[in-house]
Amino acid sequence: MKLRLLAGLSALVAAAGLSACSSSGSGDGVSSDGGRTTLDVWLMRDSVSAAFQKEFEKGFEAAHPEIDVRVQIQEWDGIGEKVTAALASNDAPDVIETGNTQVAQLAQSGGLLDLSDKVADLGGKHWLKGLAEPGAYEGKQYGIPFYAANRVVIYRTDLFEKAGIDADAIKTRAQWIAATEKLNKGGRQGIYLPGQNWYTLSGFVWDEGGDLATESDGTWQGSLDTPEALRAMAFYKKLQALGKGPKDSDEARPPQAEVMAKGEVAQIVNTPGGANVVAQNNPGLKGKLGFFPVPGKTADTPGAVFTGGSDLVIPAVARHHDAAYTFVKELTGDAWQKKLAVAMSYVPNKTTLADAVAEDPGASAMAVGAAVGHATPNTPGWAAVEAKNPVKDYMTAVLTGGNPAREAAKASAAITSAMK
């Protein structure tokens, strides 16, 4: 959803005259009355468990007794407008969790604190690309990677075994297609891949060296009509045909994990949590689900994936910049990132921490893909593209017989128009 930035926000921030990690209270982040700093933090629903939140708050306050953390859990629905309003007010929280692809829109207004000079201190050279890049805007870092989640292949271990397929040996697209063809027999679907699963298509586009949109001299244009993107769509069409996924809907209509639970699907492309949904809907499949990273074009590089997840930002008008930075540094630091990854089956924010989830099959498969993950085009205008989503319409048109080049040109033009 495109965030409608409130009028006067940039002027308000400029008037505040705030610099990175200065505090509008006393310089050390302690409130002006000499007591403890009360740090207001917004985290999103289900990003952390109640148990992890309690453990972190206890540990953080023990290490920083001068700071009292007050976490408020926010709902994703309507959060864009709520954050925009908070940034334009004189009563913004000190730290906000935001979706990684939302940072550019918020930074465009001038409402976020520039943390570029803190990247090295935070271990930024090891951040996941798919979190770090969308956390930056016009060369400055505003969002600090919090956690990542991305798609993997969820597969039926019993069906693979019966077909004589070793999932661990599937490293390339060609091997994936061969295995899926072998599984796609009788009433069984080799893969359930809805026609409008544009996140999965995006990964194939990135694998080919293309992108959904590109920027030149400050102007963004849709690029689904490039040779790279057209090759990606051709592969998607070949894979999608090895099942009965609808050509005119996405993975949520109907929920693909529920489709897999019916017992006729060998694979889906989903986040690992989808396996829990499958087992909940069909307890007979509990213990019969495995994971492997989306395969790449060659065996030495896994398939590119869209890296979902969150960044932490500090509002420019927040009252306690020093304490807020301390909070962000702790929560995104190695010790708590390892604990968070284990507790929530997330991918940690740094490639160097992938071993933290080595014992979790789903999360470890995610970590492999996350290392080469991407984000959607880093421009505030991308939200308007997703609101209309001509990518979905393009995919359906091609899968139902439309000319790929002609349909791609139409979709690219629609993307360009939406981003203006």
Side-chain angles (χ1 to χ4, degrees):
M1 183 179 348
K2 188 172 184 178
L3 304 181
R4 292 184 172 84
L5 301 170
L6 299 186
L9 177 54
S10 295
L12 184 154
V13 173
L18 298 173
S19 60
C21 292
S22 64
S23 175
S24 55
S26 63
D28 61 2
V30 179
S31 56
S32 57
D33 62 3
R36 301 176 72 195
T37 294
T38 297
L39 195 71
D40 289 317
V41 177
W42 286 4
L43 296 182
M44 300 308 301
R45 174 74 62 191
D46 298 327
S47 285
V48 300
S49 65
F52 177 85
Q53 179 183 330
K54 182 178 180 179
E55 180 185 6
F56 175 77
E57 288 182 26
K58 182 178 179 180
F60 179 84
E61 291 179 358
H64 304 281
E66 75 281 6
I67 302 174
D68 179 23
V69 177
R70 183 170 62 187
V71 174
Q72 299 178 49
I73 301 299
Q74 305 294 322
E75 303 295 337
W76 284 106
D77 186 33
I79 190 60
E81 290 85 351
K82 188 170 184 177
V83 171
T84 301
L87 296 181
S89 74
N90 290 315
D91 192 31
D94 299 290
V95 179
I96 300 175
E97 176 191 349
T98 185
N100 58 328
T101 61
Q102 296 175 321
V103 177
Q105 295 170 287
L106 302 175
Q108 182 188 41
S109 69
L112 301 182
L113 196 65
D114 177 8
L115 296 170
S116 302
D117 64 342
K118 301 297 181 182
V119 171
D121 185 45
L122 295 169
K125 68 179 180 179
H126 299 299
W127 282 339
L128 295 175
K129 178 181 177 182
L131 290 180
E133 287 189 350
Y137 180 66
E138 294 187 339
K140 297 179 180 180
Q141 194 73 38
Y142 297 95
I144 305 305
F146 182 18
Y147 66 85
N150 51 265
R151 287 160 179 76
V152 300
V153 181
I154 302 176
Y155 72 98
R156 287 276 301 276
T157 56
D158 55 333
L159 296 182
F160 270 58
E161 183 178 354
K162 189 178 296 184
I165 300 170
D166 179 5
D168 292 335
I170 300 177
K171 302 297 183 183
T172 68
R173 285 187 189 174
Q175 292 168 338
W176 192 18
I177 288 288
T180 305
E181 288 174 338
K182 197 172 183 180
L183 291 159
N184 192 46
K185 294 182 177 179
R188 185 176 60 212
Q189 299 183 56
I191 189 168
Y192 178 84
L193 185 60
Q196 295 183 346
N197 191 332
W198 71 280
Y199 286 119
T200 297
L201 172 65
S202 299
F204 300 155
V205 173
W206 294 320
D207 275 342
E208 295 289 349
D211 210 332
L212 306 176
T214 56
E215 183 266 340
S216 177
D217 296 328
T219 301
W220 283 87
Q221 292 186 318
S223 53
L224 286 176
D225 53 343
T226 61
E228 295 84 358
L230 288 169
R231 288 198 300 269
M233 187 63 221
F235 177 76
Y236 190 98
K237 184 176 182 179
K238 185 176 183 179
L239 183 64
Q240 201 269 341
L242 298 176
K244 300 176 182 177
K247 294 177 172 59
D248 59 352
S249 65
D250 60 23
E251 62 271 28
R253 298 174 297 130
Q256 61 179 349
E258 295 181 11
V259 175
M260 190 178 196
K262 295 178 181 179
E264 300 174 352
V265 173
Q267 306 170 85
I268 58 174
V269 181
N270 200 356
T271 56
N276 296 329
V277 179
V278 174
Q280 288 167 4
N281 282 272
N282 184 349
L285 293 181
K286 187 175 183 179
K288 297 180 180 179
L289 299 169
F291 314 89
F292 61 87
V294 174
K297 292 186 69 176
T298 59
D300 58 338
T301 305
V305 291
F306 168 74
T307 304
S310 289
D311 283 6
L312 297 178
V313 300
I314 300 175
V317 295
R319 289 187 293 272
H320 307 111
H321 285 172
D322 289 342
Y325 177 71
T326 299
F327 179 93
V328 169
K329 184 176 181 179
E330 287 275 2
L331 190 51
T332 63
D334 291 5
W336 285 105
Q337 278 290 301
K338 290 177 182 179
K339 292 181 180 181
L340 178 65
V342 172
M344 303 300 295
S345 293
Y346 287 150
V347 178
N349 63 2
K350 300 184 185 74
T351 57
T352 50
L353 301 178
D355 286 349
V357 292
E359 301 302 315
D360 184 322
S364 59
M366 276 201 301
V368 172
V372 291
H374 291 249
T376 50
N378 191 16
T379 168
W382 186 255
V385 177
E386 291 198 24
K388 298 179 180 179
N389 215 322
V391 184
K392 289 185 174 183
D393 296 335
Y394 157 65
M395 295 173 73
T396 294
V398 174
L399 293 175
T400 54
N403 179 276
R406 185 167 55 248
E407 296 298 340
K410 287 166 55 179
S412 293
I415 290 173
T416 301
S417 177
M419 289 190 295
K420 290 182 178 179

